[in-house]
């Protein structure tokens, strides 16, 4: 994979090692009015950090990021803060959250498929996202996403950036078809690498810096996975399934084969009685062979290169921690829920800590869904939009909360044209 390039003060270097200068707070020209740019919700966020902020009215000012490479013109991206019509702050709750305000879900690794992005290219700014991605990554991500081959797209170092960019490009499509969804969105969550896309959407990171962090994360995880033969096993169990006991016995089996410090543990909590178990391949094979003993209804090895979200990924921690230190991270402007515990991120230091911890911790997606959709009986559920390739998160939501799933839609990234479920004349409450 070659040596990693040094990180500049802005957190980004070009493929040739030259610094990409990040210019912040550049005032928008009339042609760059924030209402024409998007990567996040506009000005529906209300927050304060001190009591003094809570007692003074404050109007959010639009902030534009310009990503400039040494060889080309600037590409401007809007922050989630919106135009001059943004409401000013007044004393009250941290968030004014309508019961039916939209929620966005961002998929993770494993959802990638050749052709993703084809259904997005006709929408404003999508090609510019892919052009910016090429500058950060050093290769043509759009070409790989559209034409593959699938085995190259499936490599961790490629699929994580591909899913990240496709998801934010899907946000552009959703913004074009239903701008009110973006403007009124109050919560977002992303599965594993999807959490980075959710944070960019929420204004906690800029697109280019978030993508660079994903690139470093993906390369480090690819390298760690190649050091030990490991994988991930999807398990559909029963109420009486004994996941922890099964993992312990699989570890003992590995020890009997001479494997030191074997790893076998739950790495994803998807929905009731459904888990993903990661670890040494010998442990996963043992579980498949003894599935009846542990009351597993169905098992399936996932097409990934390693035992993600376990201590097998410890070599990836330091590279990710270093790049996150170099990135300007802000407080999210909408609620973004952490994979580590299902709770909302509160401040930049919290984000840096948990994004690193997430690499070696189980993804608590089931717990996150309960946190987001918990509400009093009789209260309407929010409209939910899965933005990115695949509909796996919709399937999981259906098994976690059937009533919430009834308001679910998917933003298609494969087919051109309008999604049947996205009526531009229909606005969320």
């Amino acid at each position: 994979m070659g040596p990693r390039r040094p990180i500049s003060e802005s957190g980004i270097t070009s493929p040739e090692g030259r610094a990409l200068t990040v210019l912040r707070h550049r005032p928008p020209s009339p042609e760059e009015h924030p209402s024409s740019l998007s990567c996040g919700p506009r000005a529906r966020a209300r927050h304060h950090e001190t009591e003094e902020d809570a007692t003074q009215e404050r109007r959010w000012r639009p902030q534009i990021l310009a990503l400039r490479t040494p060889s080309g013109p600037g590409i401007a991206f809007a922050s989630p803060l919106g135009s001059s019509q943004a409401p000013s702050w007044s004393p009250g709750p941290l968030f004014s959250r309508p019961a039916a305000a939209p929620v966005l879900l961002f998929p993770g690794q494993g959802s990638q498929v050749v052709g993703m992005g084809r259904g997005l290219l006709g929408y404003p700014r999508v090609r510019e996202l892919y052009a910016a991605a090429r500058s950060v990554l050093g290769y043509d991500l759009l070409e790989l996403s559209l034409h593959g081959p699938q085995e190259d797209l499936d490599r961790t170092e490629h699929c994580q950036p591909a899913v990240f960019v496709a998801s934010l490009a899907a946000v552009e499509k959703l913004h074009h078809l239903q701008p009110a969804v973006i403007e009124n969105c109050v919560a977002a969550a992303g599965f594993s690498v999807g959490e980075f896309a959710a944070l960019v959407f929420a204004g906690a990171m800029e697109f280019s810096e978030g993508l660079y962090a994903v690139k470093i994360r993906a390369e480090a995880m690819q390298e760690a996975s190649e050091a030990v033969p490991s994988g991930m096993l999807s398990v559909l169990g029963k109420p009486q399934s004994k996941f922890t006991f099964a993992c312990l016995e699989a570890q003992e089996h590995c020890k009997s084969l001479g494997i030191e410090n074997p790893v076998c543990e739950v790495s994803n909590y998807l929905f009731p009685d459904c888990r993903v178990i990661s670890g040494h391949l010998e442990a996963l094979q043992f579980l498949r062979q003894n599935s009846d003993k542990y009351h597993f209804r169905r098992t399936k090895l996932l097409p990934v290169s390693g035992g993600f979200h376990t201590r097998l990924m410890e070599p990836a921690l330091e590279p990710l921690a270093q790049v996150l230190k170099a990135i300007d991270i802000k407080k999210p402007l909408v609620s973004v829920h952490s994979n580590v515990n299902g709770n909302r991120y509160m401040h930049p230091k919290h984000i840096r800590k948990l994004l690193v911890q997430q690499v070696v911790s189980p993804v608590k997606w089931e717990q996150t869904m309960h946190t987001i959709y918990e509400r009093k009986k009789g209260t309407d559920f929010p409209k939910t939009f899965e933005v990115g390739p695949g509909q796996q998160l919709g399937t999981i939501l259906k098994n976690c909360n059937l009533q919430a799933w009834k308001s679910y839609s998917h933003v298609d990234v494969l087919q051109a044209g309008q999604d049947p479920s996205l009526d531009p004349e229909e606005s969320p409450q």
Side-chain angles (χ1 to χ4, degrees):
M1 184 168 60
R4 290 193 175 87
R5 292 186 293 276
I7 302 169
S8 70
E9 290 184 0
S10 65
I12 305 174
T13 58
S14 72
E16 297 79 17
R18 296 174 297 178
L20 300 182
T21 303
V22 179
L23 305 179
R24 302 186 185 282
H25 307 296
R26 176 169 61 83
S29 66
E31 294 77 23
E32 291 177 334
H33 192 277
S35 63
S36 67
L37 306 172
S38 68
C39 258
R42 294 188 314 162
R44 290 286 299 182
R46 300 169 177 230
H47 73 82
H48 61 82
E49 297 180 359
T50 67
E51 280 190 316
E52 182 180 359
D53 289 332
T55 59
Q56 296 179 354
E57 291 192 345
R58 181 175 61 186
R59 182 174 300 277
W60 291 108
R61 293 174 298 174
Q63 300 174 7
I64 304 296
L65 168 81
L67 168 65
R68 296 185 184 273
T69 69
S71 57
I75 300 173
F77 298 96
S79 80
L81 299 177
S83 67
S84 59
Q85 298 177 352
S88 60
W89 168 254
S90 58
L94 188 64
F95 283 94
S96 177
R97 179 175 180 145
V103 173
L104 264 59
L105 303 180
F106 293 80
Q109 183 172 350
S111 61
Q112 71 277 356
V113 60
V114 170
M116 65 181 188
R118 183 177 297 115
L120 307 174
L121 295 177
Y123 294 93
R125 309 205 64 79
V126 170
R127 289 186 182 273
E128 294 175 20
L129 287 177
Y130 278 101
R134 184 170 186 169
S135 296
V136 173
L137 298 173
Y139 59 87
D140 192 340
L141 182 65
L142 180 59
E143 174 66 22
L144 179 61
S145 298
L146 292 179
H147 303 113
Q150 186 71 47
E151 54 267 28
D152 286 350
L153 184 60
D154 285 344
R155 287 182 60 82
T156 299
E157 60 187 323
H158 295 146
C159 70
Q160 290 191 17
V163 171
F164 171 90
V165 176
S167 296
L168 290 171
V171 171
E172 292 290 347
K173 177 178 180 178
L174 180 59
H175 180 259
H176 180 78
L177 295 177
Q178 288 200 46
V181 170
I182 305 302
E183 294 162 4
N184 296 321
C185 179
V186 292
F191 196 102
S192 191
V193 71
E195 198 165 297
F196 286 80
L199 287 165
V200 169
F201 166 75
M205 299 180 188
E206 304 295 357
F207 172 81
S208 54
E209 294 182 325
L211 177 57
Y212 188 78
V214 168
K215 168 184 163 62
I216 296 301
R217 178 186 191 267
E219 291 174 349
M221 291 175 69
Q222 177 78 47
E223 189 172 343
S225 67
E226 291 171 353
V228 178
S230 59
M232 304 179 76
L233 183 72
S234 176
V235 179
L236 180 60
K238 302 175 182 178
Q240 64 268 37
S241 296
K242 301 176 180 179
F243 293 99
T244 302
F245 178 67
C247 289
L248 290 174
E249 291 209 333
Q251 291 175 25
E252 291 302 318
H253 170 72
C254 288
K255 291 178 181 178
S256 72
L257 300 177
I259 299 175
E260 296 183 2
N261 300 317
V263 174
C264 183
E265 56 196 54
V266 174
S267 58
N268 296 171
Y269 293 84
L270 301 181
F271 54 85
D273 304 322
C274 187
R275 307 283 186 267
V276 174
I277 296 175
S278 296
H280 284 81
L281 287 179
E282 293 85 350
L284 304 184
Q285 291 162 358
F286 173 84
L287 293 179
R288 298 194 75 187
Q289 294 165 1
N290 294 275
S291 58
D292 290 342
K293 177 180 178 180
Y294 305 116
H295 305 287
F296 294 163
R297 291 165 55 189
R298 187 166 65 247
T299 62
K300 179 183 178 182
L301 283 170
L302 300 180
V304 297
S305 60
F308 301 143
H309 298 288
T310 70
R311 56 185 169 86
L312 291 172
M313 293 294 110
E314 286 180 354
L317 296 180
E318 185 61 21
L320 178 58
Q322 289 300 317
V323 74
L324 289 176
K325 286 180 181 178
I327 287 177
D328 182 17
I329 298 179
K330 305 178 182 69
K331 182 176 180 178
L333 301 173
V334 301
S335 298
V336 178
H337 293 258
S338 167
N339 286 181
V340 173
N341 53 26
N343 297 328
R344 288 188 308 163
Y345 283 114
M346 301 307 296
H347 49 75
K349 186 177 179 180
H350 195 210
I351 293 172
R352 287 188 176 92
K353 177 182 177 181
L354 292 187
L355 282 181
V356 174
Q357 187 178 337
Q358 184 225 69
V359 174
V360 293
S361 302
V363 174
K364 295 185 177 178
W365 193 255
E366 179 183 348
Q367 295 88 328
T368 300
M369 294 298 95
H370 289 314
T371 300
I372 292 177
Y373 295 101
E374 182 181 10
R375 57 203 60 238
K376 294 180 180 179
K377 186 176 181 179
T379 305
D380 290 338
F381 283 95
K383 290 178 178 289
T384 298
F385 296 85
E386 183 170 356
V387 282
Q391 301 183 52
Q392 293 92 329
L393 300 184
T395 300
I396 294 172
L397 178 59
K398 184 177 182 180
N399 285 277
C400 284
N401 191 321
L402 181 60
Q403 293 303 312
W405 173 79
K406 290 179 179 179
S407 299
Y408 162 89
S409 298
H410 174 241
V411 183
D412 191 6
V413 301
L414 289 171
Q415 300 297 324
Q418 181 178 308
D419 296 342
S421 60
L422 299 180
D423 181 0
E425 299 299 321
E426 180 184 3
S427 297
Q429 297 177 0

